[in-house]
């Protein structure tokens, strides 16, 4: 299915599962579809809760993803991010202290937007607001050609995303133990 969609369209976006572990050694295949998608992905966007627990879960996922042997950098989205600059700075600090910058394509913050819940309840598209602006900026960063002439950027430059910090050496065991 994925091969056919990749042939038919320029971009195929897949919401993959959060577990990547290979459990085939235990006699059953689980999470194989997620691993297959990640093994063939041209870009990987990891979405995590903008909380301390969300960041720890992202680190756990990233460690499992790296066992797949993929060398592509990951773009991190902090979902439902508080608007407080201090909180965002703390999230960035955790990210850059525990993840080698070489494996990060960048990151962005998607704000909590009541329009998302309203659209979900009403079964309609999300109205313009913080969420849609962040999604447009994310698309601009990951796949600039998503935009067509019918969807001009109106001269704006993406502001919700920040490039990854340059690579730095990782201390032994850094980012590999979680409690």
């Amino acid at each position: 299915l994925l091969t056919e969609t990749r042939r038919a369209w320029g971009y195929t976006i897949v919401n993959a599962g959060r577990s990547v572990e290979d459990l085939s050694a235990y006699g059953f295949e689980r999470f194989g579809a997620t691993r297959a998608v990640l093994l063939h992905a041209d870009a990987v966007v990891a979405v995590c809760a903008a909380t301390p627990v969300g960041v720890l879960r992202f680190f756990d996922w990233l460690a499992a993803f790296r066992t797949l042997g993929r060398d592509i950098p990951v773009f991190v989205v902090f979902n439902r991010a508080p608007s407080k600059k201090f909180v965002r700075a703390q999230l960035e600090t955790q990210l850059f202290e525990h993840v080698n910058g070489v494996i990060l394509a960048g990151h962005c913050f998607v704000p909590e937007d009541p329009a998302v819940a309203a659209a979900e309840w009403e079964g309609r598209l999300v109205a313009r607001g913080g969420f849609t602006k962040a999604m447009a900026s994310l698309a601009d960063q990951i796949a600039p050609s998503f935009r067509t002439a019918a969807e001009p950027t109106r001269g704006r430059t993406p502001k919700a995303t920040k490039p990854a910090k340059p690579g730095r050496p990782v201390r032994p065991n850094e980012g590999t133990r979680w409690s």
Side-chain angles (χ1 to χ4, degrees):
L1 179 63
L2 288 173
T3 302
E4 291 302 315
T5 59
R6 288 179 67 147
R7 280 189 206 137
W9 291 286
Y11 293 100
T12 301
I13 300 173
V14 178
N15 182 3
R18 64 180 177 190
S19 295
V20 182
E21 298 175 87
D22 182 2
L23 302 176
S24 60
Y26 297 106
F28 55 92
E29 179 56 40
R30 204 164 167 203
F31 315 127
T34 297
R35 284 193 310 282
V37 166
L38 292 171
L39 284 170
H40 294 93
D42 295 321
V44 174
V45 179
V47 180
C48 72
T51 65
V53 171
V55 172
L56 288 175
R57 287 181 178 158
F58 164 71
F59 292 160
D60 189 39
W61 176 88
L62 184 62
F65 171 70
R66 298 299 290 174
T67 66
L68 296 177
R70 293 299 311 272
D71 290 334
I72 62 172
V74 175
F75 196 95
V76 181
V77 176
F78 291 104
N79 196 25
R80 296 182 170 179
S83 59
K84 295 180 180 178
K85 290 183 181 188
F86 173 78
V87 173
R88 290 183 177 201
Q90 288 296 310
L91 292 167
E92 288 176 322
T93 297
Q94 289 301 309
L95 181 65
F96 291 119
E97 282 184 1
H98 298 286
V99 178
N100 186 330
V102 172
I103 61 176
L104 293 175
H107 70 286
C108 73
F109 295 96
V110 175
E112 177 73 38
D113 188 343
V116 175
E120 185 176 25
W121 278 103
E122 296 169 11
R124 60 175 172 75
L125 294 176
V126 179
R128 286 188 181 188
F131 176 80
T132 56
K133 287 178 185 174
M135 289 297 99
S137 180
L138 177 62
D140 286 344
Q141 288 293 307
I142 295 169
S145 59
F146 272 164
R147 294 226 174 256
T148 65
E151 298 177 292
T153 59
R154 293 179 186 84
R156 68 176 168 74
T157 56
K159 293 182 182 175
T161 58
K162 294 184 179 179
K165 287 188 177 177
R168 62 172 176 77
V170 178
R171 294 186 298 267
N173 297 324
E174 181 178 27
T176 58
R177 295 185 52 124
W178 322 117
S179 39

